[in-house]
Amino acid sequence: MNRLTTTLNQLQRNGTKALGIFVTAGYPEREATDEILRCLDSAGVDFIELGMPFSDPLAEGSTIQETSEVALRNGVDLEFCLDAVSRFRQKSDTPLLLMGYINPIYKFGVSNFCSRAASSGVDGLIIADLPYHESEFLRDHAETHGLSVVHLVTPNTSRNRIEEIDRASTGFVYAVSLIGLTGADIERGREVDEYLTRLNETVVNNRVLAGFGIRSRNDANALAVHTDGVIVGSAFLKEVAASWVSFDSIEEKAKAVDAFVKSVRPTIGTTRVVER
Amino acid sequence: MSIETSKKIVSEPTGGKFGEFGGQFVPETLMPALHELETVFSEATVNPEFQNNFRGLLHDYVGRATPLTFAHRLTAHLGGPRIYLKREDLCHTGAHKINNTVGQILLARQMGKTRIIAETGAGQHGVATATVCAFFGMPCVVYMGKEDVARQNLNVLRMRLLGAEVIPVTSGSMTLKDATNEAIRDWVTNIEDTHYIIGSVVGPHPYPLMVRTFQSVIGDEVREQLQEVTGSDRPAALVACVGGGSNAIGMFHPFVSLEDVDMFGVEAAGEGLDGRHAATLTEGEPGILHGSLSYLLQDNDGQISEVHSISAGLDYPGVGPEHSYLKVSDRVEYLAVTDTEALEGVRLLSRMEGIIPALETSHAIAALPKICSRYSEDDTVVVCCSGRGDKDMATIGQHMDLG
């Protein structure tokens, strides 16, 4: 059981929803990443997703497309991401996942990557273009090194497939809240409620965390009510990370991160008593 | 190339893969649509009514069968094997692309989709998609890199006249790769009512298989026509250009199991293989882009390279997964010709045969002197004349003194 699973289970026992924040590595500049990770940790996020930029991020809306382009221009590669995690891990036990696309990992060498990620202190991987039925080659190596592999479920995923995704996933199942890209306008209403409720019933081996399009506490609560927690990405990049260089001091930066984290943290408690 | 390999070439993908290549490396949102497409496509391949509709439209609307033209002066000029041209340039809209769009729009209608999207490089696939959408009265959105919008402006005007919305894509290298990213993003967002007509044998399963099936009419006709003209349905060699590789696969597929037929795929060497180029199979290595594992041009960090070809249709860092399989199986030999050589190919076919080929096709023409030198006067070589060159006249005019 790695840090991620332990943390999610602990939150569940405490009756608290999880909050994870996504940030693109090396955005808006290389030097920002260590600071952002530290500030997120101090602000009390339950886990962090560090985005590994890719030249062709085809599941991303304009915000993460742009941050990825900036990061690549800043020379960010997998080594940079792994080093950033290593430094973070010397000071914190907060779970951290790497999120990205499969080709850079494939090029790096899957086995080598999983080994390096684990020794750097990474807890899990989320790969946007690697559906569960293509992920076995990654899962095998990830398992050897104790890394979770999180797969995504979308509102149009069939019940059978959800069951298979649940079986193939470790850490949690990522419930994409909408049909669309990251940073899209969130949808609310009966259909989303039904989808998340169905997901919650079907997923029996993992926690369920919801993401895509969350910009406010209301958004977070609307999704968290049916799940074990939420993940926020584009909104953080746009509202906080984008202006990183304009803050005067590290204290200002910490304050901005703190305020953002408070503004999206779900305030409802958990009613689920599923032991997983 | 003589086929000495004892390895059996398997043409039917297993689990969506040709050998190790292919697959479905896509965001989860697309999976239900790919499953639906797989089902509808495999039903269609055995459904006589679908086949009748498809064949009927290819005959009545596209104008098939396209001729097999004996290139008599080119043959004499090169002094080697008898060269035949498979005249896909004579298809309605001016290229082979429409064979596939006719097939896919029939499937889209069967699935009850009400909106069509497509990516395009040279604009031929965009035009072919806009054309079938007009024919069936369906709304059509075409994503096209901003650079291609500029260099293939004639096709942009054609698409707009046909009623399609052309969206210039400004991300990345602003060419076919980026147009494909944008089309996939549209599809992820509008998956419920939209069908994405991919223009080549690329993308996630079942696209490479499906596009091959619709394009195989090229090779099927070549076999029949060769039998009639030469008394044998087996040429010594087949030659086609390869970007994503749909005209090549369409011509090669019916011959793949015939081991005495050599096959040549011609890629774009751009400014030269030591400069900017798009010779994916010649210079690339396996990687994952746009839904499948195939050869790729990428940098040391696994980021996709910005590639270059004078031909917008070949200006792509990937290639169809079946081509990767045919390469590693040694079934097809892939070579590459430069922008300059391709321009010589345009001039050669124009002056020798009175046929102005597309810049894509010109790559296959330009490779002929080298390929034909391996064969004797008794041999037959068939070249896929995949498209006509009208769309490229502005580019050609910039590089050639046409007064």
Short mmCIF file of all heavy atoms in Angstrom, two decimals, chain B residues 301-348:
data_model
loop_
_atom_site.label_atom_id
_atom_site.label_comp_id
_atom_site.label_asym_id
_atom_site.label_seq_id
_atom_site.Cartn_x
_atom_site.Cartn_y
_atom_site.Cartn_z
N ASP B 301 13.25 13.08 -26.27
CA ASP B 301 12.34 13.09 -25.13
C ASP B 301 10.98 12.50 -25.45
O ASP B 301 10.05 12.57 -24.65
CB ASP B 301 12.14 14.53 -24.62
CG ASP B 301 13.45 15.17 -24.19
OD1 ASP B 301 14.31 14.42 -23.69
OD2 ASP B 301 13.61 16.38 -24.36
N GLY B 302 10.82 11.96 -26.66
CA GLY B 302 9.52 11.41 -27.03
C GLY B 302 8.49 12.48 -27.40
O GLY B 302 7.30 12.22 -27.43
N GLN B 303 8.97 13.70 -27.66
CA GLN B 303 8.07 14.74 -28.19
C GLN B 303 8.05 14.59 -29.71
O GLN B 303 9.07 14.26 -30.31
CB GLN B 303 8.55 16.14 -27.79
CG GLN B 303 8.81 16.32 -26.30
CD GLN B 303 7.56 16.18 -25.43
OE1 GLN B 303 6.42 16.23 -25.93
NE2 GLN B 303 7.74 15.99 -24.14
N ILE B 304 6.88 14.86 -30.29
CA ILE B 304 6.73 14.63 -31.73
C ILE B 304 7.45 15.75 -32.50
O ILE B 304 7.32 16.93 -32.19
CB ILE B 304 5.24 14.60 -32.12
CG1 ILE B 304 4.47 13.62 -31.20
CG2 ILE B 304 5.08 14.20 -33.58
CD1 ILE B 304 5.02 12.23 -31.10
N SER B 305 8.21 15.34 -33.50
CA SER B 305 9.02 16.30 -34.25
C SER B 305 8.16 17.14 -35.19
O SER B 305 7.13 16.70 -35.66
CB SER B 305 10.06 15.56 -35.09
OG SER B 305 10.88 14.77 -34.28
N GLU B 306 8.65 18.34 -35.44
CA GLU B 306 8.04 19.15 -36.50
C GLU B 306 8.69 18.72 -37.80
O GLU B 306 9.91 18.77 -37.93
CB GLU B 306 8.26 20.64 -36.21
CG GLU B 306 7.58 21.04 -34.92
CD GLU B 306 7.12 22.49 -34.88
OE1 GLU B 306 7.49 23.26 -35.78
OE2 GLU B 306 6.37 22.82 -33.94
N VAL B 307 7.89 18.28 -38.73
CA VAL B 307 8.43 17.68 -39.94
C VAL B 307 8.21 18.63 -41.11
O VAL B 307 7.56 19.66 -40.98
CB VAL B 307 7.79 16.31 -40.22
CG1 VAL B 307 8.13 15.35 -39.09
CG2 VAL B 307 6.28 16.41 -40.39
N HIS B 308 8.77 18.27 -42.25
CA HIS B 308 8.60 19.12 -43.42
C HIS B 308 8.52 18.30 -44.70
O HIS B 308 9.32 17.39 -44.93
CB HIS B 308 9.74 20.12 -43.58
CG HIS B 308 9.78 20.73 -44.94
ND1 HIS B 308 8.94 21.76 -45.31
CD2 HIS B 308 10.49 20.39 -46.05
CE1 HIS B 308 9.15 22.04 -46.59
NE2 HIS B 308 10.10 21.24 -47.05
N SER B 309 7.55 18.66 -45.54
CA SER B 309 7.55 18.23 -46.93
C SER B 309 6.92 19.33 -47.75
O SER B 309 6.02 20.03 -47.28
CB SER B 309 6.76 16.93 -47.10
OG SER B 309 6.54 16.69 -48.48
N ILE B 310 7.38 19.46 -48.98
CA ILE B 310 6.76 20.41 -49.90
C ILE B 310 5.31 20.01 -50.16
O ILE B 310 4.47 20.83 -50.50
CB ILE B 310 7.56 20.49 -51.22
CG1 ILE B 310 7.09 21.69 -52.06
CG2 ILE B 310 7.43 19.19 -52.02
CD1 ILE B 310 7.97 21.98 -53.25
N SER B 311 5.04 18.74 -49.95
CA SER B 311 3.70 18.22 -50.17
C SER B 311 2.94 18.18 -48.84
O SER B 311 3.34 17.47 -47.92
CB SER B 311 3.81 16.81 -50.76
OG SER B 311 2.80 16.00 -50.25
N ALA B 312 1.86 18.94 -48.75
CA ALA B 312 1.11 19.04 -47.49
C ALA B 312 0.55 17.69 -47.07
O ALA B 312 0.41 17.41 -45.89
CB ALA B 312 -0.02 20.06 -47.64
N GLY B 313 0.24 16.84 -48.05
CA GLY B 313 -0.36 15.55 -47.73
C GLY B 313 0.64 14.55 -47.15
O GLY B 313 0.25 13.55 -46.58
N LEU B 314 1.93 14.82 -47.32
CA LEU B 314 2.95 13.91 -46.78
C LEU B 314 3.63 14.51 -45.55
O LEU B 314 4.50 13.90 -44.95
CB LEU B 314 4.01 13.59 -47.84
CG LEU B 314 3.52 13.02 -49.18
CD1 LEU B 314 4.71 12.67 -50.07
CD2 LEU B 314 2.65 11.79 -48.98
N ASP B 315 3.22 15.72 -45.18
CA ASP B 315 3.87 16.48 -44.12
C ASP B 315 3.33 16.03 -42.77
O ASP B 315 2.61 16.76 -42.09
CB ASP B 315 3.57 17.97 -44.36
CG ASP B 315 4.56 18.88 -43.65
OD1 ASP B 315 5.31 18.37 -42.80
OD2 ASP B 315 4.57 20.08 -43.95
N TYR B 316 3.66 14.80 -42.37
CA TYR B 316 3.07 14.19 -41.19
C TYR B 316 4.13 13.32 -40.50
O TYR B 316 4.83 12.56 -41.17
CB TYR B 316 1.87 13.34 -41.63
CG TYR B 316 1.10 12.69 -40.51
CD1 TYR B 316 0.39 13.45 -39.60
CD2 TYR B 316 1.06 11.30 -40.39
CE1 TYR B 316 -0.32 12.84 -38.57
CE2 TYR B 316 0.35 10.68 -39.37
CZ TYR B 316 -0.34 11.46 -38.46
OH TYR B 316 -1.05 10.86 -37.45
N PRO B 317 4.27 13.44 -39.15
CA PRO B 317 5.33 12.71 -38.45
C PRO B 317 5.01 11.25 -38.17
O PRO B 317 5.85 10.53 -37.67
CB PRO B 317 5.46 13.48 -37.14
CG PRO B 317 4.09 14.06 -36.91
CD PRO B 317 3.54 14.37 -38.27
N GLY B 318 3.79 10.82 -38.50
CA GLY B 318 3.41 9.43 -38.26
C GLY B 318 3.18 8.70 -39.56
O GLY B 318 3.42 9.24 -40.65
N VAL B 319 2.70 7.47 -39.46
CA VAL B 319 2.38 6.67 -40.63
C VAL B 319 1.45 5.55 -40.18
O VAL B 319 1.45 5.19 -38.99
CB VAL B 319 3.68 6.10 -41.26
CG1 VAL B 319 4.35 5.09 -40.34
CG2 VAL B 319 3.43 5.49 -42.65
N GLY B 320 0.66 5.02 -41.08
CA GLY B 320 -0.27 3.96 -40.73
C GLY B 320 0.43 2.75 -40.12
O GLY B 320 1.51 2.37 -40.57
N PRO B 321 -0.18 2.16 -39.07
CA PRO B 321 0.47 1.03 -38.38
C PRO B 321 0.73 -0.18 -39.29
O PRO B 321 1.72 -0.89 -39.09
CB PRO B 321 -0.51 0.67 -37.26
CG PRO B 321 -1.81 1.31 -37.63
CD PRO B 321 -1.47 2.51 -38.45
N GLU B 322 -0.12 -0.39 -40.29
CA GLU B 322 0.12 -1.55 -41.16
C GLU B 322 1.39 -1.35 -41.98
O GLU B 322 2.10 -2.30 -42.30
CB GLU B 322 -1.09 -1.81 -42.06
CG GLU B 322 -0.99 -3.18 -42.73
CD GLU B 322 -2.23 -3.57 -43.53
OE1 GLU B 322 -3.17 -2.77 -43.62
OE2 GLU B 322 -2.23 -4.69 -44.08
N HIS B 323 1.69 -0.11 -42.34
CA HIS B 323 2.94 0.15 -43.04
C HIS B 323 4.15 -0.21 -42.17
O HIS B 323 5.13 -0.75 -42.65
CB HIS B 323 3.03 1.62 -43.48
CG HIS B 323 2.22 1.93 -44.70
ND1 HIS B 323 2.54 1.41 -45.94
CD2 HIS B 323 1.11 2.67 -44.88
CE1 HIS B 323 1.66 1.85 -46.84
NE2 HIS B 323 0.77 2.60 -46.21
N SER B 324 4.03 0.13 -40.87
CA SER B 324 5.13 -0.23 -39.95
C SER B 324 5.31 -1.73 -39.92
O SER B 324 6.43 -2.24 -39.95
CB SER B 324 4.83 0.28 -38.54
OG SER B 324 4.80 1.68 -38.51
N TYR B 325 4.18 -2.43 -39.91
CA TYR B 325 4.22 -3.90 -39.91
C TYR B 325 4.83 -4.42 -41.21
O TYR B 325 5.68 -5.33 -41.20
CB TYR B 325 2.80 -4.44 -39.71
CG TYR B 325 2.67 -5.93 -39.90
CD1 TYR B 325 3.27 -6.82 -39.01
CD2 TYR B 325 1.94 -6.46 -40.96
CE1 TYR B 325 3.16 -8.19 -39.19
CE2 TYR B 325 1.82 -7.82 -41.15
CZ TYR B 325 2.43 -8.69 -40.27
OH TYR B 325 2.33 -10.03 -40.44
N LEU B 326 4.42 -3.85 -42.35
CA LEU B 326 4.94 -4.30 -43.64
C LEU B 326 6.43 -3.98 -43.78
O LEU B 326 7.16 -4.67 -44.45
CB LEU B 326 4.14 -3.66 -44.79
CG LEU B 326 2.68 -4.12 -44.88
CD1 LEU B 326 1.90 -3.28 -45.90
CD2 LEU B 326 2.59 -5.62 -45.24
N LYS B 327 6.85 -2.92 -43.10
CA LYS B 327 8.28 -2.57 -43.11
C LYS B 327 9.08 -3.59 -42.30
O LYS B 327 10.04 -4.17 -42.81
CB LYS B 327 8.51 -1.17 -42.53
CG LYS B 327 9.98 -0.82 -42.40
CD LYS B 327 10.19 0.41 -41.53
CE LYS B 327 11.64 0.55 -41.09
NZ LYS B 327 12.56 0.99 -42.13
N VAL B 328 8.67 -3.82 -41.04
CA VAL B 328 9.47 -4.73 -40.21
C VAL B 328 9.38 -6.17 -40.70
O VAL B 328 10.25 -6.98 -40.43
CB VAL B 328 9.12 -4.66 -38.69
CG1 VAL B 328 9.33 -3.25 -38.16
CG2 VAL B 328 7.71 -5.14 -38.42
N SER B 329 8.32 -6.47 -41.47
CA SER B 329 8.19 -7.81 -42.06
C SER B 329 8.96 -7.91 -43.37
O SER B 329 8.92 -8.94 -44.03
CB SER B 329 6.72 -8.14 -42.35
OG SER B 329 5.91 -7.84 -41.26
N ASP B 330 9.58 -6.81 -43.80
CA ASP B 330 10.31 -6.79 -45.07
C ASP B 330 9.43 -7.08 -46.27
O ASP B 330 9.90 -7.57 -47.29
CB ASP B 330 11.46 -7.81 -45.07
CG ASP B 330 12.68 -7.30 -44.33
OD1 ASP B 330 12.83 -6.06 -44.28
OD2 ASP B 330 13.43 -8.12 -43.79
N ARG B 331 8.14 -6.79 -46.17
CA ARG B 331 7.26 -7.07 -47.30
C ARG B 331 7.26 -5.89 -48.29
O ARG B 331 7.09 -6.08 -49.49
CB ARG B 331 5.83 -7.36 -46.81
CG ARG B 331 4.82 -7.62 -47.93
CD ARG B 331 5.20 -8.89 -48.69
NE ARG B 331 4.40 -9.13 -49.89
CZ ARG B 331 4.73 -8.75 -51.11
NH1 ARG B 331 5.86 -8.04 -51.30
NH2 ARG B 331 3.97 -9.02 -52.15
N VAL B 332 7.38 -4.69 -47.75
CA VAL B 332 7.40 -3.50 -48.60
C VAL B 332 8.72 -2.78 -48.37
O VAL B 332 9.20 -2.70 -47.23
CB VAL B 332 6.22 -2.55 -48.25
CG1 VAL B 332 6.28 -1.27 -49.10
CG2 VAL B 332 4.88 -3.26 -48.45
N GLU B 333 9.29 -2.28 -49.43
CA GLU B 333 10.51 -1.48 -49.29
C GLU B 333 10.12 -0.01 -49.31
O GLU B 333 9.40 0.44 -50.21
CB GLU B 333 11.47 -1.78 -50.44
CG GLU B 333 12.80 -1.06 -50.30
CD GLU B 333 13.80 -1.45 -51.38
OE1 GLU B 333 13.68 -2.56 -51.95
OE2 GLU B 333 14.69 -0.62 -51.67
N TYR B 334 10.59 0.72 -48.31
CA TYR B 334 10.26 2.14 -48.23
C TYR B 334 11.49 2.97 -48.57
O TYR B 334 12.58 2.69 -48.08
CB TYR B 334 9.73 2.49 -46.84
CG TYR B 334 8.39 1.81 -46.58
CD1 TYR B 334 8.35 0.55 -45.99
CD2 TYR B 334 7.19 2.39 -46.99
CE1 TYR B 334 7.13 -0.11 -45.78
CE2 TYR B 334 5.98 1.74 -46.78
CZ TYR B 334 5.95 0.50 -46.19
OH TYR B 334 4.75 -0.15 -45.99
N LEU B 335 11.31 3.93 -49.44
CA LEU B 335 12.38 4.85 -49.77
C LEU B 335 11.85 6.27 -49.69
O LEU B 335 10.66 6.47 -49.49
CB LEU B 335 12.99 4.55 -51.14
CG LEU B 335 12.07 4.16 -52.28
CD1 LEU B 335 12.55 4.78 -53.56
CD2 LEU B 335 12.04 2.65 -52.42
N ALA B 336 12.73 7.23 -49.84
CA ALA B 336 12.30 8.62 -49.67
C ALA B 336 12.90 9.49 -50.77
O ALA B 336 14.05 9.28 -51.16
CB ALA B 336 12.73 9.13 -48.30
N VAL B 337 12.13 10.45 -51.26
CA VAL B 337 12.66 11.40 -52.25
C VAL B 337 12.45 12.83 -51.75
O VAL B 337 11.51 13.12 -51.00
CB VAL B 337 12.02 11.23 -53.66
CG1 VAL B 337 12.10 9.78 -54.12
CG2 VAL B 337 10.59 11.72 -53.70
N THR B 338 13.33 13.69 -52.14
CA THR B 338 13.34 15.07 -51.63
C THR B 338 12.30 15.94 -52.33
O THR B 338 11.74 15.57 -53.37
CB THR B 338 14.71 15.72 -51.84
OG1 THR B 338 14.94 15.80 -53.26
CG2 THR B 338 15.83 14.93 -51.18
N ASP B 339 12.09 17.13 -51.76
CA ASP B 339 11.22 18.14 -52.37
C ASP B 339 11.65 18.40 -53.83
O ASP B 339 10.82 18.45 -54.74
CB ASP B 339 11.32 19.47 -51.62
CG ASP B 339 10.67 19.41 -50.23
OD1 ASP B 339 9.99 18.42 -49.93
OD2 ASP B 339 10.86 20.38 -49.46
N THR B 340 12.94 18.58 -54.01
CA THR B 340 13.47 18.90 -55.34
C THR B 340 13.19 17.77 -56.33
O THR B 340 12.76 18.00 -57.46
CB THR B 340 14.99 19.15 -55.24
OG1 THR B 340 15.23 20.07 -54.19
CG2 THR B 340 15.54 19.71 -56.53
N GLU B 341 13.43 16.54 -55.88
CA GLU B 341 13.15 15.39 -56.74
C GLU B 341 11.66 15.29 -57.06
O GLU B 341 11.28 14.95 -58.19
CB GLU B 341 13.63 14.10 -56.06
CG GLU B 341 15.15 14.00 -55.97
CD GLU B 341 15.63 12.87 -55.06
OE1 GLU B 341 14.99 12.65 -54.00
OE2 GLU B 341 16.62 12.22 -55.40
N ALA B 342 10.82 15.59 -56.06
CA ALA B 342 9.37 15.53 -56.29
C ALA B 342 8.95 16.54 -57.36
O ALA B 342 8.10 16.26 -58.21
CB ALA B 342 8.62 15.78 -54.99
N LEU B 343 9.57 17.72 -57.31
CA LEU B 343 9.25 18.74 -58.33
C LEU B 343 9.69 18.25 -59.71
O LEU B 343 8.99 18.48 -60.71
CB LEU B 343 9.94 20.06 -57.98
CG LEU B 343 9.28 20.83 -56.83
CD1 LEU B 343 10.22 21.90 -56.28
CD2 LEU B 343 7.95 21.46 -57.28
N GLU B 344 10.82 17.54 -59.76
CA GLU B 344 11.23 16.94 -61.05
C GLU B 344 10.21 15.91 -61.50
O GLU B 344 9.93 15.78 -62.69
CB GLU B 344 12.61 16.29 -60.92
CG GLU B 344 13.74 17.31 -60.96
CD GLU B 344 15.05 16.77 -60.37
OE1 GLU B 344 15.19 15.52 -60.27
OE2 GLU B 344 15.90 17.59 -59.99
N GLY B 345 9.63 15.19 -60.53
CA GLY B 345 8.59 14.20 -60.84
C GLY B 345 7.36 14.85 -61.46
O GLY B 345 6.76 14.30 -62.39
N VAL B 346 6.99 16.01 -60.94
CA VAL B 346 5.85 16.75 -61.51
C VAL B 346 6.12 17.07 -62.97
O VAL B 346 5.29 16.82 -63.85
CB VAL B 346 5.61 18.08 -60.76
CG1 VAL B 346 4.56 18.92 -61.48
CG2 VAL B 346 5.16 17.83 -59.34
N ARG B 347 7.31 17.60 -63.22
CA ARG B 347 7.64 18.01 -64.58
C ARG B 347 7.69 16.79 -65.51
O ARG B 347 7.17 16.82 -66.62
CB ARG B 347 8.98 18.76 -64.61
CG ARG B 347 9.25 19.43 -65.95
CD ARG B 347 10.72 19.77 -66.13
NE ARG B 347 11.22 20.70 -65.13
CZ ARG B 347 11.18 22.04 -65.26
NH1 ARG B 347 10.65 22.58 -66.34
NH2 ARG B 347 11.66 22.80 -64.32
N LEU B 348 8.30 15.72 -65.00
CA LEU B 348 8.47 14.52 -65.81
C LEU B 348 7.12 13.96 -66.29
O LEU B 348 6.92 13.73 -67.48
CB LEU B 348 9.23 13.46 -64.99
CG LEU B 348 9.60 12.16 -65.71
CD1 LEU B 348 10.63 12.44 -66.81
CD2 LEU B 348 10.18 11.15 -64.71
#
